[in-house]
């Protein structure tokens, strides 16, 4: 009788460990999926930028440096490998795009160009999708990291060498500043 009770307890413990392990795997895969969603939107942005630059080149002959900065920032962002490198490079690219959009204000003919307007709307839509994807990714990282740290799943996570995932964070602290509006 004692043997049967011990066997039942052992089976329950085994199933519990399997359940915890599977939940860790599910969360790890959700983190990976969240990162893939960011990557898809970043690729879309990277594809839009050359078209935007080509559309603007004819109008902005005196703004060669601005266009080169965007091109260089795009290259750096596409070449980044780790999440922290990608986060930093994408922050620099966002800053270059913001500066570019400010310079565009000096070119009324360009702002009226149908191709430019269409590309600008696509880029704006993509930026919104990137922001949503980053938020979703960070939510998945939070769930995953919490599961890794909380008892008793932390025992299983440690046994199977699960590592915490990195959040997608703002690297440039000035991006956190509240914009100043002056009239």
């Amino acid at each position: 009788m004692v043997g049967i009770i011990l066997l039942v307890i052992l089976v329950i413990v085994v199933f519990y460990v399997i359940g915890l392990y599977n939940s860790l795997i599910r969360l790890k895969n959700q983190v990976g999926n969240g990162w893939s969603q960011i990557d898809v939107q970043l690729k879309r942005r990277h594809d839009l930028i050359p078209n935007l630059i080509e559309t603007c080149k004819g109008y902005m002959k005196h703004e060669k440096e601005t266009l080169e900065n965007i091109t260089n920032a795009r290259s750096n962002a596409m070449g980044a490998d780790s999440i922290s490198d990608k986060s930093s490079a994408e922050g620099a690219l966002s800053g270059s795009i913001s500066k570019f959009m400010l310079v565009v204000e000096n070119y009324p003919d360009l702002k009226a160009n149908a191709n430019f307007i269409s590309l600008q709307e696509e880029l704006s839509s993509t930026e919104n999708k990137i922001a949503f994807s980053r938020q979703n990714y960070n939510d998945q990282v939070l769930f995953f990291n919490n599961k890794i740290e909380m008892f008793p799943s932390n025992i299983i996570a440690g046994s199977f060498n699960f590592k915490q995932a990195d959040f997608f964070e703002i690297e440039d602290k000035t991006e956190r500043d509240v914009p100043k509006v002056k009239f």
Side-chain angles (χ1 to χ4, degrees):
M1 185 66 161
V2 173
I4 293 174
I5 293 173
L6 288 176
L7 183 62
V8 169
I9 291 173
L10 181 63
V11 168
I12 290 172
V13 168
V14 167
F15 279 117
Y16 185 72
V17 168
I18 290 170
L20 285 176
Y21 178 81
N22 287 340
S23 68
L24 287 166
I25 292 294
R26 185 185 78 251
L27 289 171
K28 179 180 165 197
N29 290 338
Q30 287 175 335
V31 167
N33 180 52
W35 179 251
S36 295
Q37 297 304 317
I38 291 174
D39 233 12
V40 166
Q41 298 308 322
L42 294 177
K43 170 78 169 106
R44 182 176 174 192
R45 176 168 67 174
H46 295 165
D47 291 346
L48 284 172
I49 289 171
N51 295 331
L52 191 65
I53 289 173
E54 284 302 314
T55 301
C56 298
K57 271 185 179 175
Y59 292 95
M60 301 174 67
K61 293 176 183 165
H62 304 293
E63 304 294 343
K64 184 178 179 182
E65 183 181 337
T66 302
L67 298 174
E68 286 175 353
N69 287 343
I70 291 176
T71 302
N72 292 337
R74 176 183 175 262
S75 296
N76 291 339
M78 290 178 70
D81 291 326
S82 71
I83 291 175
S84 62
D85 290 346
K86 190 110 130 138
S87 179
S88 177
E90 289 299 332
L93 179 57
S94 293
S96 295
I97 291 171
S98 296
K99 289 175 188 169
F100 170 74
M101 291 304 181
L102 288 173
V103 170
V104 165
E105 295 296 320
N106 297 326
Y107 296 89
D109 292 342
L110 175 60
K111 290 191 322 186
N113 180 292
N115 284 342
F116 177 77
I117 291 170
S118 173
L119 287 168
Q120 188 178 25
E121 288 173 1
E122 282 291 316
L123 190 58
S124 177
S125 171
T126 300
E127 293 296 329
N128 289 336
K129 290 176 183 177
I130 289 170
F132 177 76
S133 295
R134 286 176 181 164
Q135 179 181 354
N136 179 56
Y137 170 77
N138 282 342
D139 287 345
Q140 298 307 320
V141 168
L142 177 66
F143 295 144
F144 179 67
N145 289 348
N146 282 345
K147 189 76 166 186
I148 286 176
E149 291 180 14
M150 295 171 74
F151 183 80
S153 58
N154 64 342
I155 296 169
I156 305 303
S159 299
F160 290 100
N161 206 25
F162 283 92
K163 301 289 182 205
Q164 287 195 338
D166 293 329
F167 286 98
F168 199 105
E169 297 177 310
I170 295 174
E171 296 290 324
D172 182 5
K173 305 300 182 205
T174 60
E175 288 184 44
R176 292 185 178 150
D177 294 341
V178 177
K180 294 179 174 105
V181 178
K182 295 180 182 178
F183 294 101

